[in-house]
Amino acid sequence: MARESESGLPIDPVYGPEALAGWDPAVQLGEPGAYPFTRGVYPTMYTGRPWTMRQYAGFGTATESNARYKELIAHGTMGLSVAFDLPTQMGHDSDAPIAHGEVGKVGVAIDSVEDMRLLFGGIPLDKVSTSMTINAPAALLLLLYQLVAEEQGVSAGMLTGTIQNDVLKEYIARGTYIFPPKPSLRLIADIFRYCKAEIPKWNTISISGYHMAEAGASPAQEIAFTLADGIEYVRTAVAAGMDVDDFAPRLSFFFVARTTILEEVAKFRAARRIWARVMKEEFGAKNPKSLMLRFHTQTAGVQLTAQQPEVNLVRVAVQGLAAVLGGTQSLHTNSFDEAIALPTDKSARLALRTQQVLAYETDVTATVDPFAGSYVIEKMTDDVEGAAVELMAKVEDLGGAVNAIEHGFQKNEIERNAYRIAQETDAGERVVVGVNRFQLDEEEPYEPLRVDPAIEAQQAERLAKLRAERDQPAVDAALAALKKAAEGEHNVLYPMKEALRARATVGEVCNALREVWGTYVPSDAF
């Protein structure tokens, strides 16, 4: 009996040459590292060195997170990935009333340059690559990172890493937006310009499908809506006067890896092919690096279960394998206890060890794109590509990603798919081990990591001390200069950096921009 993929596409019991009738390998496959990049963005892929093992971490205070980073580096992590708490993600200080109860809970609390200094204390920023999962206030956290690097004597030209900086997916699937779409896109264009001039090796945006997938998007929806957002960002930068080849090589993407290995591999290959074609044909990009869809992958948090959490170790290994076989540039493997609480030191180490086993104990790094030419993989790649292109055309018919967001199109499509998944799980048609089949009569006890609630009071004390000791007239003048730039057309990152250098807080800088740009309120259509 034929099955359906996660995208609702048919999976045949057997595939043969007829599956690829009319298929031209030179057009749809190509060579590794060459257009259309179906087989990977680099000719040698992992045969020279493995992907970047970038473990996502951050909780409580900057000091606690700093200790976790140093431990991960000691155990072989090649890149850091910072999780920020909800107040930081929303541009609020830890002592703001709205932040109560959330400080340090889902990531580290960063209120000022002093916190950022603690977060990266003793970590040489010219030797590590750092990814920061931050969106609406991405410019602030990047500038704080640059300021700390300058204190270490590290020039901005030596900094490598990524800011997520993808606000469109916040309107679609996640909700940590601050400003309306138009000023948000203007801020992103300012970041592109600033980094080209000041931090040339930095990846200025990580266009994310991960959070859409966590909200219930199918693989086809995930890449369709992510690439549609990417097109919107490119159009914004081009409209602002930038040449596509000046910024496109620094664009990167962020996807999920599910347990359904075959479709996930096909999804990654299809996404590379679509993006290369769009950049070449729509935007006329000439630099081959502008055509490359480089991406980070995180294993699927939404597929982790609180029931029998050790089973998540198996899920994560399978998901990580899917990402590697799909050609990811960097990978975060979730800890098995993340469905319960923040990862413990042991579970975070096990997650890293999972990647190291894949890299050094299997043979998947011995050859490039091992599934190339597979009847099933090539047919599924074509099928996922076709479904994604059809969805992207619907976004275009609505006037592009922003207009489609205002119509609620992407959100409604994702919610429909999430409802389908929930129905199938509840009916037992979709097996979730330990949840609706193979349950235990009694779960074994597990002691999760807890964040000390005293952190909120400690951060408030630090803020009070900072405000008492800093040069307040200098802060006021810097914030006034920032507002003036936001009202006009000058790049806001330059006055923003001076405000942060003067020890303005994240909340104060965001509030200054809120006064000029306002805040985003979803329409009733959502």
Side-chain angles (χ1 to χ4, degrees):
M1 185 178 69
R3 286 175 51 179
E4 283 192 349
S5 73
E6 293 288 294
S7 297
L9 304 169
I11 304 177
D12 296 335
V14 178
Y15 286 83
E18 68 282 355
L20 303 181
W23 193 76
D24 185 349
V27 174
Q28 287 146 301
L29 198 56
E31 296 297 324
Y35 185 86
F37 302 102
T38 309
R39 300 198 63 191
V41 292
Y42 302 123
T44 58
M45 289 303 290
Y46 312 134
T47 60
R49 69 176 183 87
W51 59 93
T52 299
M53 299 178 194
R54 189 186 296 283
Q55 287 302 109
Y56 185 49
F59 64 95
T61 65
T63 301
E64 290 174 295
S65 292
N66 174 265
R68 174 66 62 86
Y69 296 156
K70 287 176 177 174
E71 181 175 1
L72 286 169
I73 290 170
H75 287 295
T77 293
M78 296 179 284
L80 299 176
S81 186
V82 184
F84 296 97
D85 72 355
L86 195 56
T88 304
Q89 293 181 49
M90 299 294 290
H92 297 295
D93 290 333
S94 295
D95 60 356
I98 197 172
H100 179 61
E102 295 293 339
V103 177
K105 288 291 178 67
V106 299
V108 62
I110 298 294
D111 291 315
S112 72
V113 68
E114 295 188 355
D115 289 328
M116 191 65 98
R117 191 180 297 129
L118 289 174
L119 186 63
F120 290 102
I123 298 174
L125 299 187
D126 56 341
K127 300 289 195 301
V128 300
S129 170
T130 302
S131 173
M132 293 186 275
T133 303
I134 194 72
N135 294 285
L140 284 77
L141 277 300
L142 173 61
L143 293 171
L144 289 173
Y145 188 83
Q146 184 186 1
L147 287 168
V148 171
E150 289 173 358
E151 292 176 1
Q152 290 186 4
V154 176
S155 71
M158 299 178 71
L159 297 178
T160 60
T162 306
I163 42 173
Q164 192 162 99
N165 193 28
D166 175 11
V167 74
L168 291 181
K169 66 93 174 49
E170 298 295 330
Y171 305 124
I172 294 171
R174 193 159 176 265
T176 61
Y177 42 71
I178 300 176
F179 315 114
K182 187 174 181 180
S184 293
L185 289 172
R186 177 258 177 100
L187 182 56
I188 288 168
D190 281 357
I191 291 170
F192 288 176
R193 286 198 201 90
Y194 181 87
C195 287
K196 181 179 183 296
E198 307 291 341
I199 318 178
K201 294 181 181 179
W202 198 266
N203 296 319
T204 51
I205 194 167
S206 178
I207 306 159
S208 175
Y210 181 87
H211 304 95
M212 299 184 205
E214 294 285 282
S218 70
Q221 289 175 335
E222 177 192 355
I223 63 169
F225 298 148
T226 304
L227 299 184
D229 285 352
I231 290 168
E232 191 80 34
Y233 293 131
V234 174
R235 286 174 179 164
T236 297
V238 170
M242 299 184 70
D243 183 271
V244 67
D245 287 319
D246 283 344
F247 66 88
R250 304 314 309 175
L251 301 178
S252 64
F253 291 79
F254 175 28
F255 295 116
V256 78
R258 302 169 179 81
T259 52
T260 43
I261 292 179
L262 300 182
E263 188 177 19
E264 290 301 284
V265 172
K267 175 192 77 177
F268 295 131
R269 299 168 91 251
R272 279 194 293 269
R273 198 153 73 198
I274 296 169
W275 186 249
R277 187 171 61 245
V278 166
M279 294 303 290
K280 182 179 182 178
E281 296 179 3
E282 178 174 343
F283 295 107
K286 301 293 191 297
N287 186 342
K289 291 183 178 179
S290 298
L291 311 179
M292 295 178 183
L293 184 140
R294 298 171 302 110
F295 63 94
H296 170 71
T297 309
Q298 181 172 336
T299 55
V302 73
Q303 291 187 321
L304 302 182
T305 65
Q307 298 91 335
Q308 301 179 46
E310 293 84 357
V311 177
N312 293 328
L313 285 165
V314 182
R315 293 187 178 102
V316 169
V318 171
Q319 293 161 359
L321 179 61
V324 171
L325 291 171
T328 192
Q329 276 59 72
S330 66
L331 177 62
H332 163 84
T333 35
N334 289 327
S335 300
F336 75 89
D337 50 359
E338 286 186 28
I340 301 170
L342 289 166
T344 62
D345 288 346
K346 181 177 181 179
S347 65
R349 186 169 61 251
L350 282 170
L352 175 60
R353 294 289 184 254
T354 302
Q355 294 201 48
Q356 291 166 336
V357 168
L358 290 173
Y360 301 111
E361 293 191 21
T362 77
D363 56 2
V364 296
T365 61
T367 188
V368 177
D369 191 23
F371 281 159
S374 158
Y375 298 132
V376 61
I377 289 296
E378 300 301 355
K379 181 63 166 67
M380 290 181 78
T381 300
D382 289 350
D383 289 348
V384 173
E385 179 183 9
V389 167
E390 185 178 336
L391 283 167
M392 292 171 71
K394 291 180 179 178
V395 171
E396 284 296 295
D397 289 344
L398 291 168
V402 171
N403 285 343
I405 287 167
E406 291 173 348
H407 281 86
F409 173 69
Q410 300 98 317
K411 188 171 185 289
N412 290 337
E413 290 291 305
I414 291 169
E415 287 175 351
R416 230 189 321 270
N417 194 66
Y419 182 60
R420 175 181 67 86
I421 293 170
Q423 283 184 308
E424 292 173 359
T425 304
D426 290 345
E429 298 167 7
R430 176 183 293 264
V431 176
V432 182
V433 174
V435 175
N436 62 7
R437 199 182 295 184
F438 314 115
Q439 301 102 319
L440 293 175
D441 293 333
E442 185 176 341
E443 290 288 332
E444 298 174 6
Y446 178 77
E447 185 60 38
L449 177 68
R450 304 289 185 192
V451 172
D452 187 350
I455 286 171
E456 186 171 328
Q458 293 167 9
Q459 284 296 111
E461 289 174 10
R462 285 174 54 78
L463 281 165
K465 186 171 184 290
L466 177 144
R467 292 186 182 114
E469 294 177 350
R470 69 189 181 184
D471 183 344
Q472 191 59 44
V475 172
D476 293 340
L479 291 174
L482 173 62
K483 285 195 280 188
K484 184 176 180 181
E487 289 165 352
E489 297 182 357
H490 292 295
N491 192 316
V492 298
L493 268 74
Y494 290 96
M496 185 184 291
K497 183 183 179 186
E498 294 312 307
L500 293 168
R501 191 197 304 277
R503 299 200 291 174
T505 67
V506 168
E508 289 166 344
V509 170
C510 288
N511 285 340
L513 294 177
R514 285 182 178 100
E515 288 180 29
V516 179
W517 292 341
T519 55
Y520 179 70
V521 179
S523 69
D524 292 339
F526 281 53

